[in-house]
Amino acid sequence: SQTIHQWPATLVQPVGSPLSLECTVEGTSNPNLYWYRQAAGRGLQLLFYSVGIGQISSEVPQNLSASRPQDRQFILSSKKLLLSDSGFYLCAWSPGSNTEAFFGQGTRLTVV
Amino acid sequence: AQKVTQAQTEISVVEKEDVTLDCVYETRDTTYYLFWYKQPPSGELVFLIRRNSFDEQNEISGRYSWNFQKSTSSFNFTITASQVVDSAVYFCALSPYNTNAGKSTFGDGTTLTVKP
């Protein structure tokens, strides 16, 4: 069966520090991968998605970037965090079009 | 542009009550998918159901049922005989047909609290 791992679960980082969140999927090949951010009390905002290695699409301009160095690995990064980057970040995967997405357990990022 | 509206921000019920979570959507696409996800306190979203726009049959799964009405652009979710474990945030989502479902547009969610 397929599983998705996302870490760390919680992170407290100072303003201006770098960020690296990692997500890996097991049990499938060539998944579509996604990074979402969830602000408190709000829905999910799609940040990035990837349909293959090295292919990244950004949905909203921001202080973050994403990379997909391997088929089942998706990384969310920032060179310098802002206070506004605080939030709950969720990684997800889907087998392809017309299917539901499966989510990781999320990372709660607090920028102080 | 797509939009999903979950007008109920928070709902509180007592265990064993029935509760309906509303979802209204807007899209110009003629074919699309609708989803419901559950987000328990642990944080991860759990997929509950997918419904395509050309199948308006209602669906029942145990205590859960979904009412899709294309004429009113609604996809409501009912929990019968609610339980404390049903307490969570529930999200409705919409995605165009033949697109990456992970690119869905999500509503802001409804927080359901079931009290014992």
Side-chain angles (χ1 to χ4, degrees):
Chain A
S1 64
Q2 301 86 8
T3 56
I4 179 168
H5 302 281
Q6 184 182 342
W7 66 93
T10 59
L11 190 60
V12 179
Q13 291 283 96
V15 169
S17 64
L19 172 73
S20 181
L21 302 181
E22 189 163 343
C23 172
T24 60
V25 180
E26 296 178 357
T28 187
S29 297
N30 197 30
N32 295 325
L33 297 171
Y34 313 88
W35 278 110
Y36 283 89
R37 178 168 57 202
Q38 183 180 19
R42 299 301 304 274
L44 278 69
Q45 180 187 38
L46 180 63
L47 302 176
F48 301 96
Y49 72 94
S50 171
V51 298
I53 297 175
Q55 301 179 57
I56 307 294
S57 296
S58 174
E59 290 292 296
V60 293
Q62 59 215 313
N63 183 41
L64 302 167
S65 62
S67 61
R68 184 170 178 174
Q70 300 181 42
D71 181 45
R72 292 170 291 175
Q73 184 185 29
F74 205 25
I75 298 172
L76 183 68
S77 304
S78 174
K79 292 182 179 178
K80 289 185 178 181
L81 283 168
L82 306 172
L83 286 174
S84 57
D85 291 324
S86 293
F88 190 57
Y89 289 83
L90 285 155
C91 181
W93 76 276
S94 68
S97 300
N98 303 336
T99 67
E100 54 276 13
F102 300 93
F103 289 79
Q105 293 195 318
T107 296
R108 191 161 304 281
L109 171 66
T110 304
V111 182
V112 296
Chain B
Q2 298 183 115
K3 185 178 180 181
V4 176
T5 302
Q6 294 179 255
Q8 304 151 307
T9 305
E10 296 182 8
I11 300 176
S12 181
V13 300
V14 177
E15 205 169 20
K16 296 185 183 178
E17 285 185 15
D18 299 346
V19 58
T20 295
L21 310 182
D22 297 333
C23 173
V24 174
Y25 61 92
E26 296 175 27
T27 181
R28 293 181 181 177
D29 296 303
T30 54
T31 53
Y32 47 87
Y33 281 99
L34 293 160
F35 305 84
W36 275 96
Y37 292 87
K38 174 182 179 180
Q39 186 178 38
S42 59
E44 69 181 283
L45 268 75
V46 177
F47 163 74
L48 295 178
I49 191 172
R50 177 186 66 188
R51 170 65 66 202
N52 62 51
S53 57
F54 39 87
D55 180 4
E56 288 194 66
Q57 276 194 335
N58 291 329
E59 184 156 341
I60 298 174
S61 175
R63 295 184 297 107
Y64 295 171
S65 62
W66 291 270
N67 182 357
F68 175 37
Q69 301 229 348
K70 204 167 181 178
S71 60
T72 57
S73 297
S74 66
F75 186 43
N76 297 337
F77 173 30
T78 297
I79 302 175
T80 304
S82 60
Q83 300 176 2
V84 173
V85 294
D86 295 328
S87 297
V89 183
Y90 291 86
F91 291 96
C92 181
L94 164 72
S95 98
Y97 193 72
N98 270 338
T99 190
N100 293 311
K103 293 181 63 181
S104 299
T105 298
F106 283 79
D108 284 346
T110 296
T111 301
L112 173 65
T113 302
V114 181
K115 299 178 181 177

